[in-house]
Amino acid sequence: FPISTMRRLRKGEVEVKFEVGPDGVVDVVTVMKTTSPSLNSAAVEAVRQWRFKPTPKGHTAMVDLAFDLDA
């Protein structure tokens, strides 16, 4: 997440669902839940950069991306 957004919000979370193709490349990324829409684009962009080990068929996964500067 952008540092300026993190400092402003102090904490946040984005739950992302994504599809991984057989080649290990992330294809479809969907925000399922968010504490602030200003975090969504950074979360989606981060997940789109992830790469996984190729498999015979693709799969679906979910992940929570979160931060808490006050913890």
Side-chain angles (χ1 to χ4, degrees):
F1 299 111
I3 293 294
S4 60
T5 302
M6 291 173 62
R7 285 184 179 143
R8 182 174 46 85
L9 296 174
R10 304 301 301 166
K11 64 181 178 178
E13 179 180 358
V14 181
E15 183 178 274
V16 179
K17 177 180 175 182
F18 59 97
E19 305 286 330
V20 179
D23 59 357
V25 175
V26 174
D27 185 18
V28 178
V29 181
T30 306
V31 173
M32 303 302 290
K33 184 171 54 174
T34 187
T35 57
S36 176
S38 64
L39 300 172
N40 295 358
S41 62
V44 168
E45 183 59 34
V47 172
R48 284 187 192 277
Q49 294 177 33
W50 294 356
R51 298 295 178 261
F52 296 85
K53 182 177 178 181
T55 59
K57 60 181 188 175
H59 59 277
T60 301
M62 288 185 71
V63 65
D64 282 324
L65 303 172
F67 66 94
D68 186 346
L69 299 182
D70 298 325

